[in-house]
Amino acid sequence: MSAAEQVKNNPRMFISGNEAVALAARDAGCRVASAYPGTPSTEILEYISAYPNLYSEWSINEKVSLEVAIGASLAGSRALCAMKHVGMNVASDALMTQTLIGAVGGLVIVVADDVGLSSSQNEQDSRYWGRFAHLPVLEPSDSQETYDITRFAFGLSEQYAVPVIVRLTTRICHVKGLVQLSTPQIKEGQKFNKDASRFVMVPGNAKQRIPLMLERDKTLANFSESCSLNVIEQGDNRSVGFITSGAAYCHVREAFPDAPLIKLGLSHPAPIELIREFSQSIDKLVVIEEVEPLLETELRAAGIELFGKDIVPRIGELTPTVITPAIERLLGKEKSIATIGMTDVFPRPPTMCVACPHLGIYYCLSHVKNTIIAGDIGCYTLGAGHPWNALDTCISMGASLSVAQGIDKGRSEEDANKNVIAVIGDSTFLHMGMQGLLDITYNKGNITILLLDNRAVGMTGGQNAPSSGIDIHGETTIQVDFRKLCEALGVKSERIHELNPYELPTLFKALREEVKVKEPSVIITNQPCVLTERYAKQPPLTVEDDKCTGCSNCLDVGCPAILVTKRETVVKPNGKEKELSFVKIDTAACTGCNLCINTCAPDAIIPLINVDYINAMEVK
Amino acid sequence: MKPITNIMVVGIGGQGVMTAADIISQAAIMEGHDVKKTEVAGMAQRGGVVTSHVRFGEKVLSPSIPPGTADLMLAFEPAEALRWVTHVKDQATVMVNTYPQAPPVVSIGLFDYPEQPETQLQSHPIELISFDAGSLSIKLGDRRLVNSIMLGAIAKQLPFSPEVLKAALLTRFKDKGEKLLALNETAFKAGQQASQLTPRQAK
């Protein structure tokens, strides 16, 4: 097929970096793909799941996900697993051994760094894992490169029998650009060739593999010097030149269209000699990298003079707005950019959805006194915010249970009477929480556990998990029985309650009783995430104006559909001032979960009975 | 290289900001431009601030629109228009849906909703076009139609024919049933009319 024919047969697509990874996997003949959802990487597996000839799964966690991909690679198939940066920490145990074994079928690990923390508990630079695990790191800078480089990664992995990291960042994953696809490959699986000395990493065998790994480092470093992904772009002006990679390349190129630069598509091992030669023709060499000064440190160690994080921020995304002033300062040409003055507008932090089943739980938690509450990773982390303020810790995925156990065991006399509570979602519990529960029961902790089973990975958009009873393809599968699971992990049957989180009195009663019991208890809530199809909307509610007393109890629920219409300050008979907030319900947003009805003393909240209007809202 | 057109679409999670940006992008692609689109959406589905950046021209490099350089802004909520007006350049057109949506932090009294955001916007050197697309969408039967109404309203401000934008919108809905297609076409037209009837407030 001629190039022109190919272009005609494969029209350009306007796609995100994540979709480009998915298409690249498909077109590279990848046969197995796995992930646990995590922003900004989530969509990769969602797209892949649509391809019929490629096995895909939501794994329980990233370590399992990587191990599935490793197994497929060892069995001779091309395999991909995708994760966000914090997921790589979880997967790292498998990674550090797999690097000794190497790949058989192409093994590509796509890691998406949430630079700037749009929804993460920390900011990390996953390029470190390439150095740590002696693996090549590829860094695309836009959707087209993401497609091309991911395809390249499978070949590279097979050529050098090495797992390959494709490192993405927020501004790659979630940027749409035009992509020209190339002709798909078909890769059949190969026969599994038993080779215990290579695949069984007992100490004797592993020791033999370490020198081979170090030899591979050298080979890859040589390869990097001439790799077509490491590109020199000669510019006109030699006063400043750049070494850059990934999304930062686009920002640098935009800010300095005429500057000479090297774009590293294969950034580890870095092509040191190529860069050294380039640096000799440049007055001031600047390394622009997101986030950590990795290349900078390596190049400095190689004796190349340059600027880096001493002039460019180490935290957050690097955009032209950030890069330009830094370079202008370096060149002594600083100028201020005139923009329209800032306006001070209220913050709009993320909040729980209208009618979210977690609203009732946090309403209860915020009304139960004398507590220490360990939280976890998911939508329900938002319980730390207003109006609930009902979380005291949040560390890492699955940590609520083990952190609560530590708080229980390590508490001082002063906290002796406090109730220690752990809050965890269903998917998070399965991801890493089960082990914590076993620790609590085994070591006789006194924790009340709220297992918020909304049958989905809510935070990332309601993906399926073993709690859904549905897999990535929407097919029915096993559904975890949390009661039985908790029993198996050592919780007494009578200490396990399964409750409807919209029934506030029952929830309060169970919580108040269980915090008094000096042994592990689990309260499982059982209503689905409102983002999923399993959630059934009810007719919306409204407020009878003449009945609302302004008590503002309903506002404590934190439902975004409840709005204040007017505030008044009144003086009570005892002379104290009280602020009243009169409310209305945004009926177009309300789904009639009835939580606010439960909190309304004057019974001012009633269902909106207006059939025509409801029908109108049903237009799909 | 020829200058790039920068369009900001701003609003809050669930309003269809990203879909609107996608449709504008598709229209630009149909016009033969290189296009990049991104969004800065911290947990968008959780009611947070959402901004989408659309950039098109001969060749687009960075996906982000630097402050003070947007040629056009489409704001789905008045307070969000005020928050992001720093991103538009002088004399840029800012199209605002005046239907306010206060978050829980405002409802519980921690912060105030800005007083008369449109009046505050008028103090900036922009061309302001504002109308209540929110109420209009509810009148048409579904608040999700705000999206198509706002696209209709902005259609004349783009550097290509309104018909191109309309075609991009209708392509998006062509597989979703006759009823929804017709409804969105109506909403687009309603937006076109509404913006024509609205006096421009230029500074």
Side-chain angles (χ1 to χ4, degrees):
Chain A
M1 204 185 327
S2 74
E5 269 176 306
Q6 191 175 312
V7 169
K8 200 176 150 209
N9 291 339
N10 298 302
R12 288 196 305 171
M13 299 174 78
F14 187 59
I15 56 176
S16 68
N18 281 345
E19 192 170 2
V21 170
L23 284 162
R26 181 197 70 180
D27 293 350
C30 176
R31 289 163 53 88
V32 170
S34 55
Y36 182 82
T39 308
S41 69
T42 309
E43 300 84 0
I44 295 173
L45 255 281
E46 290 185 325
Y47 288 121
I48 286 182
S49 70
Y51 307 142
N53 298 323
L54 205 174
Y55 170 82
S56 56
E57 67 166 46
W58 286 134
S59 303
I60 306 299
N61 64 38
E62 295 81 3
K63 178 173 178 286
V64 170
S65 168
L66 178 54
E67 287 159 353
V68 167
I70 286 171
S73 164
L74 298 186
S77 285
R78 287 191 163 185
L80 175 140
C81 79
M83 61 194 70
K84 69 182 292 181
H85 62 283
V86 285
M88 192 57 145
N89 305 336
V90 178
S92 61
D93 194 20
L95 180 79
M96 297 308 289
T97 304
Q98 179 57 24
T99 185
L100 295 177
I101 293 172
V104 180
L107 177 58
V108 176
I109 305 160
V110 180
V111 193
D113 287 356
D114 182 7
V115 181
L117 296 98
S118 80
S119 54
S120 302
Q121 61 271 36
N122 66 37
E123 184 177 68
Q124 317 173 175
D125 192 327
S126 297
R127 294 177 304 158
Y128 273 115
W129 291 110
R131 277 83 177 163
F132 198 14
H134 302 261
L135 300 180
V137 177
L138 303 180
E139 293 188 72
S141 70
D142 60 15
S143 294
Q144 179 72 61
E145 281 185 21
T146 304
Y147 176 80
D148 295 337
I149 280 182
T150 307
R151 286 197 66 167
F152 179 89
F154 283 101
L156 182 68
S157 172
E158 282 165 10
Q159 188 183 348
Y160 295 100
V162 64
V164 174
I165 294 173
V166 175
R167 188 246 191 168
L168 310 179
T169 55
T170 320
R171 241 12 95 206
I172 302 297
C173 297
H174 289 168
V175 171
K176 279 191 174 185
L178 289 160
V179 174
Q180 182 73 62
L181 304 187
S182 41
T183 311
Q185 274 174 286
I186 297 166
K187 283 272 176 183
E188 298 299 338
Q190 307 295 313
K191 184 175 172 292
F192 177 75
N193 290 315
K194 287 175 191 283
D195 184 354
S197 67
R198 180 177 165 197
F199 296 163
V200 182
M201 285 299 94
V202 292
N205 289 340
K207 272 182 201 168
Q208 306 299 319
R209 300 292 302 176
I210 294 172
L212 298 174
M213 178 178 77
L214 299 178
E215 199 53 43
R216 185 180 73 199
D217 278 349
K218 283 187 204 155
T219 314
L220 285 166
N222 283 333
F223 173 74
S224 183
E225 295 290 348
S226 58
C227 175
S228 61
L229 299 180
N230 294 331
V231 182
I232 298 182
E233 295 181 9
Q234 301 291 358
D236 303 335
N237 187 339
R238 314 307 290 180
S239 60
V240 63
F242 297 95
I243 309 292
T244 186
S245 63
Y249 161 78
C250 295
H251 302 314
V252 171
R253 203 16 112 217
E254 169 120 0
F256 299 95
D258 304 321
L261 62 73
I262 297 187
K263 177 173 68 167
L264 300 176
L266 170 57
S267 67
H268 178 76
I272 304 279
E273 296 315 315
L274 183 80
I275 294 169
R276 193 191 306 280
E277 200 187 314
F278 174 78
S279 72
Q280 279 153 11
S281 68
I282 305 293
D283 294 344
K284 287 189 166 112
L285 186 68
V286 184
V287 178
I288 309 267
E289 53 188 328
E290 246 172 21
V291 176
E292 297 282 339
L294 264 72
L295 268 171
E296 180 184 336
T297 311
E298 285 170 10
L299 296 178
R300 282 222 168 97
I304 299 170
E305 273 181 48
L306 47 82
F307 298 88
K309 295 298 179 186
D310 44 349
I311 62 162
V312 180
R314 190 163 175 168
I315 304 167
E317 290 188 73
L318 295 175
T319 60
T321 327
V322 174
I323 297 166
T324 308
I327 302 304
E328 281 173 350
R329 266 196 300 278
L330 178 70
L331 299 176
K333 291 196 286 193
E334 196 169 357
K335 57 175 183 248
S336 62
I337 308 161
T339 57
I340 292 174
M342 289 284 280
T343 315
D344 197 18
V345 183
F346 59 83
R348 206 187 275 273
T351 188
M352 285 199 275
C353 299
V354 171
C356 172
H358 302 333
L359 292 173
I361 290 144
Y362 281 109
Y363 178 81
C364 287
L365 283 173
S366 64
H367 284 78
V368 174
K369 301 288 175 239
N370 208 28
T371 55
I372 301 174
I373 307 171
D376 220 303
I377 308 292
C379 300
Y380 50 94
T381 318
L382 300 172
H386 298 297
W388 318 281
N389 302 309
L391 283 188
D392 297 308
T393 71
C394 173
I395 312 290
S396 60
M397 199 124 178
S400 59
L401 295 145
S402 25
V403 167
Q405 169 76 352
I407 290 170
D408 178 35
K409 298 297 181 187
R411 61 169 105 186
S412 65
E413 276 303 308
E414 214 175 316
D415 291 329
N417 294 321
K418 296 250 166 82
N419 304 308
V420 182
I421 297 172
V423 185
I424 190 164
D426 49 324
S427 178
T428 306
F429 183 72
L430 299 171
H431 177 281
M432 277 287 175
M434 292 189 282
Q435 295 85 343
L437 179 56
L438 187 58
D439 192 76
I440 289 170
T441 55
Y442 178 65
N443 293 307
K444 300 173 186 166
N446 174 16
I447 321 282
T448 306
I449 295 133
L450 286 167
L451 205 174
L452 313 186
D453 178 13
N454 65 4
R455 325 268 162 86
V457 194
M459 195 56 165
T460 43
Q463 287 80 11
N464 293 313
S467 51
S468 324
I470 301 167
D471 69 12
I472 195 171
H473 307 289
E475 286 169 17
T476 307
T477 177
I478 64 108
Q479 185 169 20
V480 166
D481 183 329
F482 282 108
R483 172 179 278 279
K484 281 188 187 163
L485 179 57
C486 292
E487 276 188 60
L489 290 168
V491 186
K492 284 185 190 160
S493 168
E494 63 269 28
R495 296 273 69 84
I496 304 173
H497 303 268
E498 206 177 325
L499 300 177
N500 180 338
Y502 294 109
E503 291 173 5
L504 290 181
T506 325
L507 201 57
F508 262 121
K509 185 164 170 281
L511 195 56
R512 289 216 166 100
E513 277 174 12
E514 290 307 325
V515 292
K516 279 186 226 151
V517 179
K518 301 278 182 208
E519 59 182 314
S521 313
V522 182
I523 296 170
I524 304 166
T525 61
N526 63 6
Q527 292 300 309
C529 172
V530 298
L531 297 178
T532 62
E533 287 171 3
R534 290 178 282 276
Y535 178 73
K537 284 186 188 181
Q538 304 295 321
L541 307 173
T542 190
V543 178
E544 287 189 288
D545 290 342
D546 51 340
K547 280 195 185 170
C548 178
T549 59
C551 73
S552 78
N553 278 353
C554 58
L555 290 173
D556 290 348
V557 172
C559 178
I562 305 174
L563 308 170
V564 175
T565 51
K566 141 183 100 150
R567 279 183 222 286
E568 270 177 28
T569 308
V570 291
V571 182
K572 296 207 290 190
N574 63 9
K576 283 187 179 163
E577 285 195 348
K578 183 174 166 56
E579 185 163 29
L580 300 178
S581 300
F582 297 88
V583 300
K584 67 169 183 176
I585 288 174
D586 181 354
T587 44
C590 175
T591 59
C593 75
N594 287 6
L595 267 177
C596 54
I597 289 187
N598 279 316
T599 66
C600 182
D603 290 331
I605 303 175
I606 55 161
L608 176 80
I609 309 294
N610 182 337
V611 175
D612 285 348
Y613 183 75
I614 292 162
N615 282 339
M617 290 302 296
E618 286 303 305
V619 175
K620 287 225 169 92
Chain B
M1 222 154 45
K2 284 178 201 159
I4 286 168
T5 303
N6 294 323
I7 301 175
M8 295 269 298
V9 190
V10 306
I12 60 180
Q15 285 191 311
V17 167
M18 296 184 204
T19 309
D22 237 0
I23 291 164
I24 296 170
S25 304
Q26 285 299 343
I29 293 167
M30 284 153 64
E31 285 291 286
H33 295 289
D34 182 33
V35 185
K36 270 190 182 159
K37 187 215 109 174
T38 188
E39 55 277 334
V40 181
M43 298 176 259
Q45 278 168 316
R46 279 9 99 170
V49 176
V50 181
T51 68
S52 196
H53 298 203
V54 178
R55 310 190 72 206
F56 58 86
E58 197 182 320
K59 173 74 191 160
V60 183
L61 291 159
S62 170
S64 315
I65 298 177
T69 66
D71 301 281
L72 187 61
M73 184 162 87
L74 192 55
F76 282 43
E77 206 276 347
E80 292 311 312
L82 210 49
R83 192 192 305 280
W84 293 107
V85 74
T86 52
H87 264 62
V88 304
K89 63 185 189 192
D90 281 7
Q91 314 309 327
T93 303
V94 177
M95 175 81 63
V96 181
N97 170 19
T98 58
Y99 188 93
Q101 280 189 260
V105 289
V106 168
S107 286
I108 60 176
L110 286 174
F111 294 92
D112 290 325
Y113 195 86
E115 275 178 42
Q116 297 178 310
E118 291 110 278
T119 315
Q120 288 195 48
L121 283 167
Q122 278 161 22
S123 70
H124 294 293
I126 54 169
E127 186 187 35
L128 178 69
I129 310 174
S130 59
F131 69 104
D132 187 350
S135 297
L136 187 56
S137 73
I138 293 170
K139 231 180 270 171
L140 287 173
D142 191 331
R143 66 164 35 189
R144 285 173 293 182
L145 292 170
V146 161
N147 204 328
S148 298
I149 294 169
M150 290 299 284
L151 285 171
I154 205 84
K156 249 190 148 171
Q157 310 297 326
L158 295 170
F160 40 77
S161 150
E163 292 309 308
V164 179
L165 187 65
K166 191 172 154 186
L169 172 77
L170 297 182
T171 308
R172 179 92 177 194
F173 287 100
K174 74 177 185 336
D175 299 329
K176 306 224 166 145
E178 285 294 317
K179 200 172 161 188
L180 197 63
L181 187 70
L183 205 54
N184 278 284
E185 192 169 3
T186 307
F188 187 86
K189 279 184 194 155
Q192 281 182 301
Q193 275 170 7
S195 74
Q196 275 162 24
L197 296 173
T198 312
R200 274 142 182 73
Q201 289 144 343
K203 188 128 190 189

